């Protein structure tokens, strides 16, 4: 049994905006206290606790020491997780306090002295206690540093923790704060951030991970888990897009948004009720389209670098920089920040959750939706070689939606894991082959749009290349037919 269940909303802010937060009208009547605190996170040399989903920390505050074990459990912004907390006599790990936690099944308490300090954080913590929407909320501003693996990063976070009442109060408070202060969803706990620094993964591009769903979930719970996973995937790459303009980071950020939009399509019968569904769907379409030009130019350069003349290179470089400028401007816009927070608010507390379809068992709902997506791919794939560009593009969209749905729902079908993997692989291969054909068509349009000259403009279409990609797509489609709907 956990000592407590922490429910908090994590947000990030630029240090220059901390003053605006402190002066926000919602905090005007609340007393604030600021104290210095330091925390040290421990694990085995082989990261046994982290791999099992736990963090172990000793925090020093006003000469007192608190040892805490937390179980992983977050998404994008909203973290809900059990924790085990004890006061201990010194900064040394306490075996007796550790023994009372489930992490003791991973590391024997008598071997706690073998654990090593991996991460350290030092922050000035300002705390406000607020009554909001008949709930008691603690708002925390942390400003300091976090260290791990010889690396150090600045830390500027806002945590809004629920002390009493409904989680919706956290989301509403964040929404109101965000109207005046630029806030972004936080997706990493301090432990996750520190361990990423320690193992060198903090600045790496992140791919989509598995979605933690189960057969015991209802439709609303399954959809929420998928949305949080997509938002986390996006946020883990967003910084690398804005700060480094990395092509692969942009690609993954765009994939995250496309996956999110596909989840709206997959769960549409259950989530379309109410005014917010259509508005959020359109806002997601707006944002995803804002990433398109930069991604198309990245793909074009990767495919045609050897064919680029000096004049073409200048034109392409200028177009790419301009496209990334627009992406970054969009990422920094209030409209985009409002969208991210609005998604979390709607997913966690939207009126759609009260609809009977949202309360229905996830497994039965998933089977029907997969059937429908499969029929579209199956029917559209026949006669693939005779489809025109627009028809192939529509088929590719159906394939993409089915592939993402299969990935989202994979853990529902553990007994059919091998068939699921083969089915998803065939979909991915088919999508990739059709994607190459789409890239060829996009390249032709870019050459004309940018007025490129030289080899690129003069190069004729390569029918052999197009036939090869079509043949690969047809082969993958035949493989899908042989595997069949594994979810049945």
């Amino acid at each position: 049994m956990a000592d407590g269940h922490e429910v908090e909303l994590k947000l990030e802010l630029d240090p220059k905006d901390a003053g605006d937060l402190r002066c926000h009208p919602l905090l005007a009547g609340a007393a604030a206290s600021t104290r210095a605190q330091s925390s040290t996170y421990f694990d085995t040399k082989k990261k046994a606790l982290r791999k099992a989903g736990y963090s172990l920390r000793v925090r020093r505050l006003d000469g007192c020491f608190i040892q805490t074990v937390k179980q992983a459990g977050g998404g994008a912004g909203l973290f809900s997780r059990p924790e085990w907390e004890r006061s201990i006599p010194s900064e040394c790990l306490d075996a007796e306090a550790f023994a009372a936690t489930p992490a003791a099944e991973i590391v024997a308490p008598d071997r706690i002295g073998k654990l090593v300090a991996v991460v350290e954080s030092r922050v000035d913590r300002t705390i406000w206690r607020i009554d909001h929407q008949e709930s008691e909320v603690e708002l925390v501003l942390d400003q300091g540093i976090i260290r791990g693996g010889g690396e150090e990063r600045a830390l500027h976070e806002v945590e809004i923790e629920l002390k009493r009442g409904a989680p919706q109060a956290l989301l509403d408070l964040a929404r109101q704060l965000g109207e005046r202060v630029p806030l972004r969803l936080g997706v990493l706990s301090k432990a996750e951030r520190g361990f990423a620094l320690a193992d060198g993964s903090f600045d790496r591009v992140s791919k989509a991970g598995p979605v933690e769903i189960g057969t015991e979930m209802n439709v609303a719970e399954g959809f929420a888990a998928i949305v949080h996973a997509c938002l986390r995937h996006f946020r883990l790459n967003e910084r690398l897009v804005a700060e480094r303009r990395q092509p692969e980071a942009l690609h993954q950020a765009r994939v995250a948004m496309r996956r999110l939009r596909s989840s709206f399509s997959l769960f549409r019968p259950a989530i379309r009720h109410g005014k917010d569904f259509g508005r959020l769907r359109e806002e997601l379409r707006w944002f995803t389209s804002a990433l398109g030009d930069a991604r198309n130019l990245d793909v074009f350069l990767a495919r045609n670098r050897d064919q680029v003349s000096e004049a073409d290179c200048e034109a392409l470089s200028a177009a790419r920089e301009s496209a990334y400028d627009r992406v970054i401007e969009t990422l920094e816009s209030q409209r985009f920040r409002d969208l991210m927070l609005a998604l979390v608010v709607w997913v966690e507390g939207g009126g759609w959750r009260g609809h009977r379809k949202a309360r229905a068992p996830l497994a039965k709902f998933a089977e029907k939706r997969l059937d429908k997506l499969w029929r579209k791919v199956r029917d559209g794939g026949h006669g693939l070689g005779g489809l025109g560009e627009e028809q192939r593009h529509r088929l590719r969209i159906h394939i993409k939606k089915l592939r993402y749905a299969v990935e989202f729902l994979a853990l529902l079908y553990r007994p059919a894991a091998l068939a699921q993997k083969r089915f998803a692989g065939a979909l991915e291969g088919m999508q990739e082959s059709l994607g190459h054909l789409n890239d060829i068509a996009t390249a032709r349009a870019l050459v004309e749009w940018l007025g490129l000259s030289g080899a690129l403009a003069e190069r004729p279409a390569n029918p052999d290349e197009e036939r090869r990609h079509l043949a690969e797509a047809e082969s993958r489609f035949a493989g899908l037919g042989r595997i069949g709907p594994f979810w049945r």
Side-chain angles (χ1 to χ4, degrees):
M1 179 71 71
D3 294 338
H5 197 90
E6 179 185 56
V7 178
E8 68 178 6
L9 186 67
K10 285 188 176 293
L11 303 161
E12 298 175 8
L13 82 165
D14 191 293
K16 67 180 175 58
D17 297 316
D20 291 337
L21 178 69
R22 293 175 183 276
C23 296
H24 197 284
L26 286 173
L27 305 182
S33 62
T34 301
R35 295 182 290 178
Q37 70 173 31
S38 62
S39 300
T40 304
Y41 295 82
F42 298 84
D43 207 339
T44 69
K45 291 181 179 180
K46 294 185 177 181
K47 310 172 189 173
L49 290 175
R50 184 184 178 193
K51 290 177 181 176
Y54 293 99
S55 66
L56 170 61
R57 163 190 92 197
V58 173
R59 174 166 288 170
R60 179 173 182 169
L61 180 64
D62 294 339
C64 299
F65 301 91
I66 301 172
Q67 180 172 299
T68 305
V69 169
K70 289 189 181 184
Q71 188 173 354
L78 195 65
F79 285 67
S80 178
R81 53 195 173 173
E83 62 179 4
W84 296 261
E85 198 165 78
R86 290 286 186 275
S87 295
I88 58 175
S90 74
E91 62 188 10
C92 297
L93 290 170
D94 187 287
E96 183 178 350
F98 185 76
T101 75
E105 298 179 7
I106 311 303
V107 176
D110 62 358
R111 295 186 60 79
I112 199 169
K114 300 292 185 181
L115 299 182
V116 295
V118 183
V119 175
E120 179 185 13
S121 71
R122 295 180 181 275
V123 301
D124 290 325
R125 167 164 284 197
T126 303
I127 300 176
W128 293 264
R129 283 292 182 104
I130 304 168
D131 290 326
H132 188 72
Q133 290 191 339
E134 301 181 348
S135 297
E136 184 180 349
V137 173
E138 182 178 89
L139 189 143
V140 174
L141 171 63
D142 281 340
Q143 295 181 279
I145 59 169
I146 189 162
R147 299 190 184 102
E151 297 288 327
E152 179 177 299
R153 292 289 190 280
L155 190 67
H156 300 280
E157 289 185 343
V158 174
E159 297 177 356
I160 310 177
E161 184 174 351
L162 184 68
K163 294 300 183 181
R164 176 187 54 79
Q168 194 65 22
L170 305 182
L171 299 166
D172 185 76
L173 179 59
R175 181 187 59 77
Q176 292 191 45
L177 292 172
E179 291 174 353
R180 294 194 178 204
V181 183
L183 298 171
R184 296 183 182 275
L185 294 177
V187 297
L188 293 175
S189 66
K190 289 185 180 66
E192 288 177 313
R193 189 188 301 267
F195 281 114
L197 283 174
D199 65 19
S201 64
F202 188 74
D203 290 325
R204 292 179 193 162
V205 173
S206 297
K207 294 187 176 182
V211 182
E212 297 298 324
I213 61 173
T215 55
E216 76 286 353
M217 286 184 170
N218 64 26
V219 171
E221 291 166 338
F223 177 65
I226 291 168
V227 170
H228 282 296
C230 292
L231 291 175
R232 179 182 174 90
H233 180 201
F234 173 82
R235 287 286 288 129
L236 289 175
N237 291 288
E238 179 187 354
R239 179 179 58 84
L240 297 178
V241 174
E243 294 178 4
R244 304 190 180 191
R245 303 190 177 210
Q246 287 190 5
E248 183 58 24
L250 177 69
H251 172 56
Q252 289 299 324
R254 192 162 176 251
V255 167
M257 287 294 101
R258 288 186 175 277
R259 285 167 61 89
L260 181 55
R261 289 179 61 191
S262 289
S263 75
F264 271 56
S265 177
L266 178 64
F267 285 86
R268 190 176 190 279
I271 65 175
R272 64 187 175 188
H273 311 283
K275 61 181 180 180
D276 292 325
F277 169 76
R279 178 179 61 84
L280 290 171
R281 185 179 59 176
E282 289 305 311
E283 286 294 275
L284 283 173
R285 181 180 288 118
W286 157 74
F287 176 67
T288 305
S289 68
L291 309 180
D293 286 347
R295 175 58 184 165
N296 288 338
L297 286 161
D298 282 338
V299 171
F300 185 85
L301 281 166
R303 285 177 56 90
N304 300 285
R305 194 171 299 277
D306 295 340
Q307 306 291 325
V308 176
S309 67
E310 185 175 346
D312 289 340
C313 185
E314 291 180 3
L316 285 165
S317 296
R320 182 183 184 274
E321 286 303 301
S322 179
Y324 269 85
D325 286 344
R326 292 193 297 274
V327 168
I328 294 168
E329 182 180 356
T330 302
L331 290 173
E332 293 176 350
S333 69
Q334 185 65 41
R335 180 179 178 181
F336 171 68
R337 288 192 296 268
D338 288 346
L339 170 60
M340 293 293 101
L341 187 56
L343 279 166
V344 176
V345 171
W346 175 72
V347 165
E348 294 299 326
W352 64 273
R353 278 181 164 267
H355 193 272
R356 59 179 178 80
K357 288 186 178 180
R359 300 193 304 269
L362 175 62
K364 182 176 289 188
F365 177 89
E367 183 177 298
K368 291 181 179 179
R369 298 302 290 167
L370 286 171
D371 281 344
K372 183 172 183 178
L373 290 170
W374 166 235
R375 285 194 297 270
K376 289 183 177 181
V377 172
R378 182 195 62 198
D379 296 345
H382 290 302
L384 178 57
L387 298 180
E389 282 186 6
E390 184 60 34
Q391 291 171 309
R392 286 202 305 259
H393 179 65
R394 285 199 298 270
L395 175 60
R396 181 166 159 264
I397 291 173
H398 292 322
I399 291 168
K400 192 180 301 184
K401 287 182 177 181
L402 178 57
R403 177 192 166 195
Y404 291 157
V406 166
E407 292 174 351
F408 290 149
L409 303 168
L411 294 184
L412 291 180
Y413 304 104
R414 286 187 177 92
L418 180 59
Q420 184 272 334
K421 185 176 181 179
R422 290 170 55 217
F423 192 90
L427 284 171
E428 182 177 7
M430 197 175 177
Q431 179 185 335
E432 184 175 330
S433 296
L434 294 178
H436 285 310
L437 293 171
N438 187 67
D439 291 341
I440 292 170
T442 300
R444 293 178 188 137
L446 281 174
V447 168
E448 183 176 349
W449 173 48
L450 295 172
L452 300 181
S453 58
L456 282 174
E458 296 168 3
R459 187 178 62 188
N462 186 341
D464 290 339
E465 181 183 13
E466 296 188 16
R467 280 194 291 269
R468 177 169 57 83
H469 291 314
L470 272 175
E472 290 172 354
E474 289 175 323
S475 175
R476 294 288 190 171
F477 179 68
L480 283 176
R482 288 191 293 271
I483 300 166
F486 65 88
W487 53 89
R488 289 202 157 274

